[in-house]
Amino acid sequence: MQQNHVDDFEGIWRDILRELGQDDAFWSWATKKRLSLNDGRFEAYAIEYEGLTQGLLWLETQWHRSWLPQRYPLVYVEALASAPWNRKSLENPPYLYGVGTALLLFARQRSLALGYAGRVGLHALPAAEEFYRQRNMMDGGPDPDRENLRYFEYGRLLQSVDG
């Protein structure tokens, strides 16, 4: 993530998200970017198309564990956001399809690269719960420690066996 991505959120996305009552309008991507630069366990990414930020992703890569009994390490999605014009719930059809899905799949790839077998976890904002269900993430239910946000998780990525 570069400064221009943060600037796009602050200067373009934020007002639209506020006007439309989106829960992520108040996220501070400047803080997330700064933490990513100063703390090795955080990583920040962006998708840009035609000179404009289309999606943002903030990951934690070291401290989170699976909710499954084995408690394997996983990549935790601290924040994932698509530009308002890419959200099917706000703009149908969206300007670009698949931005959120691409970011989620990238988190899975980072998990593989870190040796976590594709495991990814996150707490979803209420408006995004169906998005994660549609991507076949396990629904762990509401988490009383996280304001009852629902926890979602991808387990180990099974690799295909060529016969």
Side-chain angles (χ1 to χ4, degrees), residues 34-56:
R34 186 172 52 256
L35 281 168
S36 299
L37 293 172
N38 296 323
D39 186 332
R41 65 188 174 111
F42 292 107
E43 299 177 3
Y45 299 95
I47 292 178
E48 182 178 318
Y49 178 70
E50 294 186 343
L52 187 60
T53 306
Q54 304 293 331
L56 297 167

Side-chain angles (χ1 to χ4, degrees), residues 3-112:
Q3 187 58 46
N4 64 300
H5 303 125
V6 172
D7 294 344
D8 284 349
F9 179 86
E10 299 290 337
I12 302 169
W13 295 27
R14 184 181 302 280
D15 288 341
I16 298 169
L17 295 172
R18 279 183 181 157
E19 185 176 313
L20 297 172
Q22 298 297 294
D23 291 333
D24 59 334
F26 301 98
W27 287 353
S28 173
W29 285 95
T31 300
K32 294 172 186 357
K33 179 180 181 293
R34 186 172 52 256
L35 281 168
S36 299
L37 293 172
N38 296 323
D39 186 332
R41 65 188 174 111
F42 292 107
E43 299 177 3
Y45 299 95
I47 292 178
E48 182 178 318
Y49 178 70
E50 294 186 343
L52 187 60
T53 306
Q54 304 293 331
L56 297 167
L57 177 67
W58 191 43
L59 304 176
E60 192 287 320
T61 61
Q62 298 172 23
W63 286 8
H64 284 83
R65 300 273 181 221
S66 170
W67 275 27
L68 299 173
Q70 297 84 0
R71 306 285 295 154
Y72 293 113
L74 54 70
V75 166
Y76 184 80
V77 176
E78 293 281 354
L80 185 155
S82 293
W85 49 87
N86 295 328
R87 299 179 188 194
K88 195 174 181 180
S89 63
L90 301 178
E91 189 74 30
N92 199 1
Y95 175 65
L96 293 177
Y97 282 97
V99 172
T101 301
L103 291 167
L104 192 57
L105 291 174
F106 177 79
R108 203 134 204 228
Q109 290 296 317
R110 282 297 294 138
S111 175
L112 285 169

